[in-house]
Amino acid sequence: MKNWLKITCIGLLLYTAVFSLWHPMGPGGLAVSATKMHPGRNEFEFKGYATHFKEAESSLQVFVSVDSSAAYCADILQVVDESHVIVSVFLPDTISSKRFGFAANNDIDGTVIVDSPVGHDGFEFVPGTSNALCQYRVNQEEFSRFGFPYQPIIIESIRNLMWHVPMWFTMFVLMTISFIFSIRALGKEDGRVDLDHDTRASAAAAVGVVFCVLGLVTGSLWARFTWGDWWTNDPQLNGAMVVFMVYVAYFILRNSTPDEEKRARLSAIFNIFAFVLMVVLLMVMPRFTEGLHPGKSGNPAFSKYDLDSSLRSVFYPACAGFILLGYWIYRLNYRIQKLEQHDETHA
Amino acid sequence: MDGILNGVHAYKVTRSIKIGFDPHGIQRVMRNSMCTNPSRIFGPMQTFWALFQKELKLELRQKHALAGVLLYVLATVFVCYLGFQQIDSAKTWGALLWVTGVFTAFNAMQKSFATESSGTHLYMYSLADPRAIILSKAAYNALFVAVLNLISVFFFILFFGTKPLADMDIAQFLLGLLLGSTGLGLALTFVAGIAFRSGAGVGLVAILGFPVIIPLLITIVRHTTLSLEGASALANSLNLVVLIVLNAVSFALSYLLFPYLWRE
């Protein structure tokens, strides 16, 4: 099998493309139509996402929790379709809070919660008169999750995890290859610089920069969808931009140094500098500073969901596939550069 | 052949003396050294001080260049004053101080290698350990940038008053100023070395240098802002640690890689 690497790569990427886009989403609570709650009867629509309200109508429950302690069962007026249900809830006048949570529960989806608009200005409680609590059950045990985990705000864009994150992993691998060849280019015993290793280093860095751009683009799209802006002030984003600039500077340095030997030596030195800077920027600094990426300053960490087998089953193959693709392109780029050098010397 | 070489050597020596380089000082150190290998005649630490003094003398003898840098600092702060008129927030004050600091450092750095002829470099290479050369240059530049930053602090106070500095923690602020300046000095000296060797001119220092110093710059602005707001040492300790780490990384990389850069 001469081409096993390429075949594996293509297979993994096809698998990633198919499953990251076609794998269904798990159930979640999307929104409620109510913007104002008051004592007495409140009628509103509960919107789920990828739920089975109609199919599991017999076991469906909707309830409103107040201050996450008391819960009030809602009467189901009409199940419109799989993801819409119109309910009515009776709230007593003893409630003085503005913190409402909304949840729906059935045997297929388990409990889905609408991320409660805690302290939201749109919610207003007008005191009045009324009564009692109800009993509810949470059947998390029966929770049969068969899709990607539902995350508020992120929702379908969680599929981007299989595209955005592998870009950075691939860039890291390529830059590491570049770094190692830069060290080896300088490390010759006779003190001369190894031009072949330098060619490898630059070929790998060039492909790494492309993956850096792809990572920035996929990240920017994702940021627009979830954080509301194409660019946000996040240490990882800014760090990635600086890494991009450093490697562009690396190529400017290469192009502005005509002498081959000198170019190889200088760019190898700068590349070592650039790699260390990249590690500091993307792996050390974000841990010290506040940002929007998962796992920092109160953001939901993916680690909790990385354990989710449905995500892992696509995410790991995606990483392997993109790393193989990066390596493949790097090899091609290296061979092209070698051929060009050959042409120049024999012209 | 010997005669020609001696002639070249004599020319280099007179030339060096003219620009303020004292070869006899180095030769004195050389005579005291026990080493016999000409490229490593003395250890890094022995030459370090002689080369550091050389940098200082070179600076002091070129009074017009020194005056130029000082004028640059004054002009930059004055432009800030014309633009802002008045600064109330510590954040703006700190950011402006370091923007000025960075441009001053670039300005100061560009002459670090460029004012010496390639003959001087060759001469120094044959005499001194390259690590001593980079360390002396970096140490000198770090000190120089620190002094320039202190001067720009003075100008900032002169133009903007002390209102943004009301709550400042002076010890922390000065420590940050020192660490930021050494960080800039170390990183930019190394980058200036690369740019100088490429032969592409001083423009390359800015292209290569800006991305490299951004992490340092982010941290030092944060540190200065916190120390101006009078935050506790504990609240600022994380920035301090990052600053020290960045300094250490720049130092280690310069020390390890400069011998390769210096080699022809």
Side-chain angles (χ1 to χ4, degrees):
Chain A
M1 279 297 278
K2 203 175 119 208
N3 293 323
W4 66 271
L5 208 75
K6 297 171 190 173
I7 292 166
T8 317
C9 170
I10 292 170
L12 286 171
L13 288 179
L14 277 176
Y15 172 86
T16 305
V18 170
F19 279 90
S20 73
L21 297 176
W22 287 350
H23 198 72
M25 287 295 297
L30 189 64
V32 287
S33 64
T35 53
K36 209 171 190 176
M37 300 296 279
H38 51 79
R41 282 261 154 227
N42 294 275
E43 202 174 295
F44 60 89
E45 188 181 41
F46 186 99
K47 290 177 198 137
Y49 195 88
T51 46
H52 299 79
F53 292 160
K54 199 98 186 173
E55 201 181 326
E57 196 175 345
S58 57
S59 62
L60 182 64
Q61 271 188 317
V62 178
F63 44 88
V64 177
S65 66
V66 182
D67 276 342
S68 57
S69 56
Y72 300 88
C73 278
D75 305 319
I76 289 156
L77 298 180
Q78 192 199 348
V79 180
V80 182
D81 58 27
E82 294 291 16
S83 57
H84 289 79
V85 58
I86 295 171
V87 295
S88 152
V89 67
F90 194 81
L91 295 177
D93 62 351
T94 48
I95 304 168
S96 60
S97 170
K98 286 182 184 178
R99 291 166 174 250
F100 294 96
F102 302 87
N105 181 21
N106 67 40
D107 286 345
I108 296 178
D109 304 320
T111 305
V112 295
I113 297 163
V114 170
D115 196 25
S116 140
V118 175
H120 194 282
D121 289 341
F123 279 80
E124 193 183 310
F125 194 80
V126 193
T129 47
S130 181
N131 67 38
L133 293 173
C134 82
Q135 290 294 316
Y136 67 95
R137 66 201 169 87
V138 178
N139 49 354
Q140 223 127 25
E141 306 301 319
E142 298 158 43
F143 196 165
S144 55
R145 185 178 271 169
F146 49 84
F148 289 147
Y150 176 91
Q151 286 249 38
I153 304 171
I154 294 174
I155 317 178
E156 291 272 359
S157 75
I158 201 163
R159 299 175 193 284
N160 200 6
L161 179 75
M162 286 60 166
W163 301 87
H164 173 64
V165 184
M167 299 300 168
W168 297 112
F169 285 0
T170 312
M171 186 195 79
F172 255 96
V173 170
L174 287 165
M175 293 317 186
T176 310
I177 291 173
S178 179
F179 172 65
I180 290 168
F181 278 115
S182 281
I183 291 178
R184 290 179 64 182
L186 288 176
K188 271 180 78 176
E189 298 219 333
D190 58 354
R192 291 173 64 81
V193 56
D194 191 323
L195 291 175
D196 181 57
H197 283 162
D198 174 63
T199 310
R200 283 170 196 266
S202 85
V207 183
V209 168
V210 172
F211 275 92
C212 179
V213 171
L214 288 175
L216 282 174
V217 169
T218 50
S220 190
L221 281 169
W222 207 358
R224 175 75 185 142
F225 189 80
T226 53
W227 302 332
D229 278 310
W230 297 107
W231 199 271
T232 52
N233 189 18
D234 176 87
Q236 234 138 356
L237 250 76
N238 294 337
M241 191 45 138
V242 176
V243 167
F244 172 71
M245 291 196 287
V246 169
Y247 278 98
V248 170
Y250 168 77
F251 285 104
I252 291 174
L253 175 67
R254 287 188 75 82
N255 288 329
S256 57
T257 318
D259 182 63
E260 221 175 28
E261 183 107 354
K262 195 179 254 181
R263 175 174 62 213
R265 182 185 300 285
L266 293 179
S267 54
I269 290 169
F270 190 75
N271 195 15
I272 294 170
F273 212 76
F275 183 80
V276 174
L277 197 75
M278 181 181 81
V279 172
V280 170
L281 274 168
L282 293 184
M283 298 178 83
V284 183
M285 296 260 294
R287 310 227 178 276
F288 288 125
T289 33
E290 290 187 3
L292 295 162
H293 270 88
K296 284 184 288 288
S297 52
N299 277 294
F302 270 115
S303 58
K304 188 174 150 196
Y305 298 96
D306 279 343
L307 296 174
D308 185 278
S309 55
S310 67
L311 279 182
R312 269 203 295 201
S313 65
V314 191
F315 181 63
Y316 291 162
C319 289
F322 275 109
I323 289 170
L324 283 179
L325 181 71
Y327 181 74
W328 184 3
I329 301 175
Y330 146 65
R331 289 293 304 173
L332 287 176
N333 193 16
Y334 165 65
R335 279 152 63 191
I336 290 169
Q337 289 201 16
K338 281 305 261 191
L339 286 173
E340 279 172 356
Q341 283 171 11
H342 182 83
D343 281 357
E344 274 169 29
T345 46
H346 294 265
Chain B
M1 188 66 188
D2 262 13
I4 295 169
L5 280 180
N6 279 340
V8 169
H9 184 249
Y11 167 72
K12 290 280 152 59
V13 171
T14 44
R15 213 182 127 83
S16 308
I17 290 168
K18 218 183 284 171
I19 61 165
F21 174 47
D22 173 22
H24 303 296
I26 287 191
Q27 276 163 1
R28 257 202 313 281
V29 180
M30 193 168 87
R31 271 201 300 277
N32 295 336
S33 166
M34 300 298 285
C35 298
T36 48
N37 182 350
S39 66
R40 293 182 172 208
I41 276 177
F42 8 56
M45 280 305 121
Q46 278 174 290
T47 3
F48 173 76
W49 185 236
L51 287 167
F52 185 82
Q53 283 176 316
K54 179 218 103 185
E55 293 284 337
L56 192 66
K57 279 180 188 164
L58 206 78
E59 192 71 62
L60 291 177
R61 286 187 195 182
Q62 288 176 302
K63 294 226 167 48
H64 63 283
L66 197 61
V69 175
L70 287 177
L71 181 68
Y72 188 87
V73 176
L74 175 65
T76 314
V77 182
F78 188 60
V79 166
C80 289
Y81 170 70
L82 290 181
F84 283 80
Q85 303 288 337
Q86 156 184 2
I87 297 175
D88 294 325
S89 82
K91 204 171 182 171
T92 318
W93 201 92
L96 273 181
L97 177 71
W98 282 106
V99 168
T100 314
V102 163
F103 280 99
T104 317
F106 270 109
N107 207 353
M109 213 58 65
Q110 281 172 356
K111 60 165 188 40
S112 183
F113 288 88
T115 48
E116 291 163 358
S117 70
S118 58
T120 315
H121 283 138
L122 193 64
Y123 183 62
M124 270 163 40
Y125 178 64
S126 66
L127 283 179
D129 188 311
R131 282 168 293 190
I133 298 173
I134 184 72
L135 286 187
S136 65
K137 272 191 193 298
Y140 174 73
N141 283 336
L143 187 77
F144 190 53
V145 173
V147 170
L148 287 177
N149 278 340
L150 271 179
I151 293 170
S152 78
V153 168
F154 169 76
F155 284 139
F156 264 97
I157 291 172
L158 183 73
F159 287 119
F160 293 107
T162 50
K163 201 179 164 197
L165 312 179
D167 305 321
M168 94 191 253
D169 181 333
I170 292 179
Q172 269 190 62
F173 174 77
L174 288 180
L175 187 63
L177 196 79
L178 184 71
L179 282 174
S181 305
T182 50
L184 282 177
L186 280 167
L188 288 182
T189 306
F190 187 68
V191 167
I194 294 178
F196 171 76
R197 289 303 253 192
S198 81
V202 288
L204 205 58
V205 182
I207 294 171
L208 299 182
F210 260 116
V212 168
I213 55 160
I214 286 177
L216 180 81
L217 207 57
I218 296 170
T219 319
I220 188 62
V221 168
R222 211 174 280 145
H223 184 277
T224 303
T225 307
L226 276 180
S227 62
L228 288 181
E229 285 166 352
S232 69
L234 190 69
N236 223 344
S237 59
L238 202 59
N239 289 326
L240 200 66
V241 170
V242 174
L243 277 180
I244 292 169
V245 167
L246 288 172
N247 268 291
V249 166
S250 305
F251 174 80
L253 284 175
S254 306
Y255 191 77
L256 290 174
L257 293 175
F258 198 72
Y260 294 101
L261 179 66
W262 209 232
R263 197 176 281 160
E264 195 68 66

